[in-house]
Amino acid sequence: MNHFGKGLMAGLAANEAASADHAARFCGEYKRGFVLGYTHRLYENTGDKLLSAWEAGLLTRRYALDKDAIIDFFTENQNSSSRRFFMAGYRLGAQPLTALEADEY
């Protein structure tokens, strides 16, 4: 069974990111595929590569994924803006959601 592919397809079809509680039901490969599919769709819809990288970092941390397994998809080189935005989102994802933010998910 191709968990990564199923997650990728779900991410491409998603209108919003899944909550951490919902994502916890799935294996790491599925979640990795979801993050990449979702953020690719976000990039296609907005044209904003940095927003996509930031969201990928946020979801990577929130879904407890290995950042090294995802960051390479957003990195042209070691000093790229996309890499910095991914890491900013990753650091922010470690912060607990406020009650207001939790209602959004």
Side-chain angles (χ1 to χ4, degrees):
M1 185 173 285
N2 183 354
H3 296 282
F4 176 81
K6 287 184 179 192
L8 183 68
M9 297 308 292
L12 287 169
N15 290 322
E16 60 186 32
S19 70
D21 287 338
H22 179 76
R25 301 178 205 171
F26 299 96
C27 71
E29 283 299 299
Y30 180 94
K31 291 185 286 189
R32 188 169 66 95
F34 181 88
V35 168
L36 293 174
Y38 177 74
T39 56
H40 178 74
R41 182 168 184 229
L42 180 65
Y43 172 67
E44 285 184 333
N45 288 340
T46 65
D48 190 336
K49 179 173 54 171
L50 300 179
L51 174 63
S52 177
W54 180 84
E55 184 74 14
L58 182 74
L59 294 175
T60 297
R61 175 64 81 119
R62 195 165 287 161
Y63 295 169
L65 295 170
D66 176 16
K67 73 179 183 310
D68 294 330
I70 299 192
I71 195 170
D72 286 340
F73 287 94
F74 297 92
T75 304
E76 295 93 31
N77 59 56
Q78 285 297 97
N79 296 320
S80 76
S81 296
S82 295
R83 182 180 188 85
R84 287 192 304 276
F85 273 73
F86 178 94
M87 288 307 299
Y90 186 79
R91 285 188 295 274
L92 181 63
Q95 315 237 335
L97 294 175
T98 66
L100 179 61
E101 289 172 322
D103 288 341
E104 294 175 8
Y105 290 95

